Amino acid sequence: MTILCTPSQPSDELLAAVGTGVLTAPTLSRAQELVEQLPGEPLVVIGPEVGFADAAGFATTLRLTRPLVGVVVIRPELDVETYAHAMQAGIRELVATADLPGLADACRRSRRLSESILLPVDATADSEGKVITIFSAKGGCGKTTLATNLAVALHADGARRVCLVDLDLAFGDVAISLQLEPRRTLVDAVGMGENMDTTGVAGLLTSFRPGLECVLAPVEPGDAEKVPATVIDDLLEMLRGMFDYVVVDTPPQFNEHVLRALDGSDHHVLLTTPDLAAMKNLRLTLDMLDLLSYPRATRSIVLNREDNRVGITAADVEQALRSKLAARIPNNLEVAASFNRGVPITAEKPSHRVSAAIREFGVQRIDRLQTAEAPAVKGQRRRWLTIGARSGDDA
């Protein structure tokens, strides 16, 4: 059910954009009454005649009493300051008055979020999801490809709620790899400050499919520098309570944001390919994680693009790294083709041997994580080190 708050008679075009089954309310107080009377989690659309301060106050109240109720606000003009205040108030979407197609899209996104986002039932550890961070110190190893496909595998056609976070703030590829429009990105979390909650975080999400949501990397030049590392702590903690799994894609370097993610994770997936440079970088990574006292049980080493024709076998990799491989993903050109089409191969071709390898890793290793096997590192503060590394295309 949708509640449209507008003091004037809405046009047929506006009603059509908002959707079917619309109830109108001339005032915000009447809209509040309807929210309390209606079952489920209705959507509230606030028209442009209502003052923005009043609309923001209404949304702020709802985020405390009914956090799953979506609020979409129509404004005559949009600017950066209004967007910032909207995020702080818990408004999910701002739409320009003349943008009726955009309004229809915003309403659909909000309804989908209300239906698919799982809010924490309580604060006990049993209700928390698991955070999985994927890392490689060398660009081009396929972190984004593994992250997107692992997220799809863990999602298992809706059996679990999964969120994919693109933490490569400067050169993130999750949006383009899934053909998503980054209307909201991680930089929008900055405006929430200490008021970050499930309602605000839900407004950051971009849906790939129901139950599989994404927090996308900033797209504007300079936005990466606006995201403080402390935001990562709060964001991952909120997402942990909203999803069964949170998969974090990272840039190919140890920066403060990455270390915060590693610190807040239940498991680290460390990626290499069968080439000397990637293996050397991973060996250094393992040494660094040991120096930072991360438990070895919290990590899995994955060999991506396995191909004995390159002259380095899986046994060679294990010998060089002095560690066992948790998974071996075969090299196949269809993976790159699916990436370019914007559909992960695990979704496009579930029976493909690459899909099977990733799904087996997800089930055998990630989905069966036990506290005794992999003690969580979340909440432990480490000394922050930044190690220079060359960024690269990590598809």
Side-chain angles (χ1 to χ4, degrees):
M1 186 67 69
T2 300
I3 302 166
L4 174 60
C5 180
T6 175
S8 60
Q9 180 65 31
S11 66
D12 292 340
E13 291 79 10
L14 176 60
L15 289 172
V18 171
T20 59
V22 179
L23 296 178
T24 58
T27 63
L28 288 175
S29 59
R30 176 53 182 161
Q32 180 65 50
E33 293 176 359
L34 290 174
V35 168
E36 295 171 356
Q37 295 170 7
L38 292 173
E41 306 296 341
L43 167 67
V44 180
V45 178
I46 301 177
E49 302 95 334
V50 179
F52 180 73
D54 293 334
F58 177 83
T60 299
T61 300
L62 274 187
R63 78 188 301 175
L64 298 176
T65 59
R66 296 285 294 277
L68 277 183
V69 174
V71 178
V72 174
V73 175
I74 307 171
R75 301 303 303 156
E77 296 181 358
L78 303 179
D79 53 53
V80 174
E81 185 178 356
T82 303
Y83 272 111
H85 288 315
M87 292 297 296
Q88 292 173 349
I91 295 171
R92 285 190 185 170
E93 301 269 0
L94 283 178
V95 184
T97 302
D99 187 9
L100 292 180
L103 175 61
D105 290 341
C107 291
R108 281 193 291 268
R109 284 192 298 270
S110 184
R111 292 189 189 96
R112 189 164 54 233
L113 283 173
S114 294
E115 293 168 356
S116 65
I117 299 304
L118 176 65
L119 293 176
V121 178
D122 54 45
T124 64
D126 291 340
S127 67
E128 292 185 340
K130 293 182 174 65
V131 179
I132 314 299
T133 293
I134 299 176
F135 180 77
S136 171
K138 180 181 180 298
C141 286
K143 289 193 306 296
T144 300
T145 300
L146 179 60
T148 52
N149 280 282
L150 181 60
V152 170
L154 292 173
H155 178 247
D157 293 325
R160 308 176 193 87
R161 290 178 170 87
V162 178
C163 183
L164 175 60
V165 179
D166 192 345
L167 202 56
D168 192 342
L169 301 181
F171 302 101
D173 286 331
V174 168
I176 194 170
S177 70
L178 298 179
Q179 299 293 291
L180 299 175
E181 181 183 0
R183 295 172 62 93
R184 293 280 176 88
T185 71
L186 234 169
V187 74
D188 294 304
V190 178
M192 299 180 198
E194 297 180 355
N195 298 318
M196 186 180 294
D197 59 11
T198 52
T199 300
V201 171
L204 297 176
L205 302 177
T206 301
S207 183
F208 176 63
R209 55 181 54 182
L212 177 46
E213 311 290 336
C214 301
V215 178
L216 302 176
V219 294
E220 296 296 330
D223 277 354
E225 286 72 30
K226 298 177 183 178
V227 182
T230 52
V231 167
I232 307 307
D233 297 335
D234 298 335
L235 177 65
L236 293 183
E237 193 60 30
M238 295 305 305
L239 291 173
R240 182 190 295 279
M242 297 167 67
F243 293 90
D244 299 309
Y245 287 102
V246 181
V247 179
V248 184
D249 187 21
T250 59
Q253 63 184 63
F254 276 115
N255 59 29
E256 187 172 353
H257 296 81
V258 170
L259 287 167
R260 295 269 183 168
L262 292 172
D263 229 27
S265 298
D266 297 277
H267 204 72
H268 307 151
V269 178
L270 308 175
L271 198 61
T272 188
T273 49
D275 64 85
L276 294 179
M279 293 161 57
K280 181 265 294 182
N281 282 12
L282 181 51
R283 180 63 261 170
L284 293 175
T285 296
L286 294 171
D287 292 341
M288 180 58 62
L289 295 180
D290 287 341
L291 284 174
L292 293 174
S293 301
Y294 288 110
R296 294 187 178 185
T298 63
R299 67 184 69 151
S300 293
I301 299 174
V302 174
L303 174 60
N304 194 29
R305 302 177 190 146
E306 180 187 16
D307 191 337
N308 291 341
R309 294 173 297 178
V310 302
I312 297 177
T313 66
D316 295 330
V317 174
E318 290 183 332
Q319 182 177 9
L321 299 178
R322 301 191 295 275
S323 301
K324 289 291 185 182
L325 294 172
R328 297 154 55 181
I329 302 173
N331 187 39
N332 194 282
L333 292 178
E334 290 188 65
V335 177
S338 69
F339 186 94
N340 291 333
R341 286 191 292 269
V343 184
I345 195 166
T346 47
E348 187 177 49
K349 298 182 178 181
S351 60
H352 194 279
R353 61 194 185 108
V354 172
S355 302
I358 295 174
R359 188 167 53 250
E360 181 180 2
F361 172 64
V363 171
Q364 297 298 328
R365 186 62 172 167
I366 302 301
D367 201 33
R368 295 185 180 180
L369 287 177
Q370 299 295 329
T371 303
E373 175 197 2
V377 296
K378 61 187 181 193
Q380 301 179 25
R381 294 273 69 87
R382 314 269 172 197
R383 48 192 179 123
W384 305 119
L385 302 177
T386 301
I387 299 176
R390 294 173 61 188
S391 296
D393 180 8
D394 202 43

